[in-house]
Amino acid sequence: MAGSEQVRIGVLGCADIARRRVLPAFAADPGSRVVAVASRDGTRAREVADQYGCAAVTGYERLLADPEVEAVYVPLPVALHAQWIERALLAGKHVLGEKPLTGDVDSTHRLFELAAARGLVLAENFMFPHHRLHRRIRDLLADGAIGALRSFTGEFAIPAPPPGDIRYDADLGGGALLDIAVNPLLAARSFLGPALTVCGARLRRHPEHGVDTGGAVLLATPDGVTAQVVFGMEHAYRSGYELWGSAGRIRVERAYAPPADHRPVIRLERPDGTEELVLHPDDQYLGAVRAFSHAVRHSPRAEHGLRERHQERALAVARLVAEVRAADEAASSAAQHPVPSWEIREGPYELRCHRQTPLRARREIP
């Protein structure tokens, strides 16, 4: 096919992220055309498909069997990603999978191996890296605007979803870690590098549903540059990060999911004063789908390059998620089996053992 022809997109599911963000982006992308929307509920598929003048399909398998569909977007719950991405690749379709691509490293690696073997594009739909805001910040760091980078702090949290939301369903991969924390974790890695690892983590779990609803993570590079990530889905809204260097700080808000008309502000604090850099709006959703359609249509080299970049990033995110879970389990186990601590009192001297608290030295002065 000629490189100018639009990529014919099929959508597996009518998730909120698809309806609000990604389907409008596909419609605005000159290189894409949505030709079918599938749902298990035919009526819902029709409601969404009518907005884009495309076919409504009842059932995901029927969409994958449609020769008119070249590539599919998968916005299903995380626990269903691996199954349907694999089926799409086996059906010969390029795939844009919503983030995170899967919930584990092995499944992620297997899917990229399958895509490579079949010469297909497989991309993970992290959208915020496509915003010019983050490229501008990397330029500032490269120019030494805040000296040597010493730490990253990222926050991303949303108010509690309504009852019945799939993020409360553990069987569907619910929870704040996979839905929300992956964004600041990826941001931390993008600035601190691939050697970033998890040093400690604690997760808060919903008393009824059992899914994680928030938490905090401490990460570090081998040379001691640190990152702190706080996230959740039972909070007042916050979406920002700060980079702290030897000669200043950079702070941004609305970092991960800004609307297309948002004008980002970079707050640059240095010893000689504070400066606010106001950027032009940028549509990261359109940027993400454009990169995908370009790789599908234009050349094997573009396809290979995008797949390689997304594989490296997806595997890194899956590894960090696994490390967060392991660190939380270790911290929970330590809290349930505390080591004895000792209390020293003076005048008269007294030594007492406490088994209810973690190890620490404490001195009380009467």
Side-chain angles (χ1 to χ4, degrees):
M1 289 186 179
S4 60
E5 291 191 31
Q6 293 176 310
V7 178
R8 302 186 304 276
I9 305 290
V11 181
L12 293 186
C14 301
D16 180 68
I17 186 67
R19 290 181 283 107
R20 288 192 306 111
R21 301 294 196 185
V22 182
L23 274 165
F26 274 126
D29 175 25
S32 302
R33 177 164 58 93
V34 178
V35 297
V37 174
S39 174
R40 292 173 297 179
D41 181 339
T43 300
R44 191 177 190 196
R46 171 53 59 197
E47 291 174 354
V48 176
D50 283 349
Q51 299 176 42
Y52 298 93
C54 66
V57 180
T58 303
Y60 306 142
E61 288 283 10
R62 288 184 60 193
L63 185 142
L64 295 181
D66 186 349
E68 180 69 8
V69 174
E70 291 181 88
V72 297
Y73 167 55
V74 181
L76 300 170
V78 176
L80 303 179
H81 283 188
Q83 171 190 354
W84 287 103
I85 291 173
E86 180 176 19
R87 291 188 183 188
L89 293 171
L90 291 173
K93 315 296 186 186
H94 305 281
V95 178
L96 177 63
E98 195 49 63
K99 57 81 185 167
L101 201 65
T102 78
D104 65 273
V105 174
D106 290 342
S107 296
T108 300
H109 185 267
R110 177 173 53 81
L111 292 175
F112 277 102
E113 289 289 303
L114 178 59
R118 291 180 166 259
L120 297 168
V121 173
L122 174 58
E124 182 179 39
N125 197 35
F126 273 101
M127 290 171 280
F128 80 85
H130 293 273
H131 202 291
R132 64 165 57 98
L133 165 68
H134 313 288
R135 295 193 294 272
R136 182 72 179 95
I137 291 174
R138 283 194 293 272
D139 290 343
L140 288 170
L141 292 175
D143 291 342
I146 59 170
L149 184 59
R150 300 301 187 210
S151 71
F152 169 96
T153 302
E155 308 98 359
F156 193 15
I158 63 172
D165 192 281
I166 63 169
R167 283 169 287 195
Y168 290 125
D169 192 331
D171 292 336
L172 293 178
L177 176 59
L178 290 178
D179 187 60
I180 298 169
V182 290
N183 288 284
L185 286 173
L186 178 59
R189 184 184 181 277
S190 70
F191 290 115
L192 273 60
L196 189 68
T197 58
V198 173
C199 303
R202 285 312 307 262
L203 302 177
R204 171 181 167 84
R205 300 192 180 278
H206 194 281
E208 178 183 352
H209 303 294
V211 298
D212 55 89
T213 55
V217 185
L218 175 65
L219 309 98
T221 65
D223 58 353
V225 179
T226 60
Q228 299 176 69
V229 167
V230 181
F231 62 95
M233 59 182 200
E234 53 183 8
H235 304 60
Y237 185 81
R238 187 73 182 272
S239 173
Y241 62 75
E242 179 178 282
L243 297 160
W244 192 355
S246 59
R249 295 188 298 179
I250 291 173
R251 178 78 202 177
V252 295
E253 300 291 344
R254 307 292 294 273
Y256 306 113
D261 60 354
H262 175 64
R263 294 176 64 87
V265 177
I266 300 174
R267 185 177 178 86
L268 179 57
E269 299 178 8
R270 292 184 284 198
D272 58 350
T274 298
E275 182 181 5
E276 290 190 343
L277 308 176
V278 182
L279 306 186
H280 291 297
D282 195 16
D283 190 340
Q284 65 186 38
Y285 312 101
L286 178 57
V289 302
R290 272 184 170 172
F292 177 71
S293 64
H294 182 273
V296 169
R297 180 57 73 232
H298 283 82
S299 72
R301 186 173 183 178
E303 166 261 312
H304 177 76
L306 183 133
R307 186 177 61 237
E308 289 294 311
R309 291 194 302 275
H310 279 263
Q311 177 174 351
E312 190 270 341
R313 188 172 73 189
L315 289 171
V317 170
R319 174 182 60 80
L320 289 174
V321 166
E323 290 180 6
V324 169
R325 287 172 170 159
D328 176 64
E329 290 178 4
S332 297
S333 177
Q336 294 170 9
H337 303 90
V339 297
S341 65
W342 297 93
E343 178 183 86
I344 300 176
R345 301 188 66 187
E346 294 181 354
Y349 291 105
E350 182 179 350
L351 190 64
R352 295 187 295 180
C353 176
H354 296 264
R355 296 186 180 274
Q356 293 79 20
T357 57
L359 180 63
R360 67 179 183 273
R362 184 172 65 187
R363 182 183 182 191
E364 292 185 1
I365 301 177

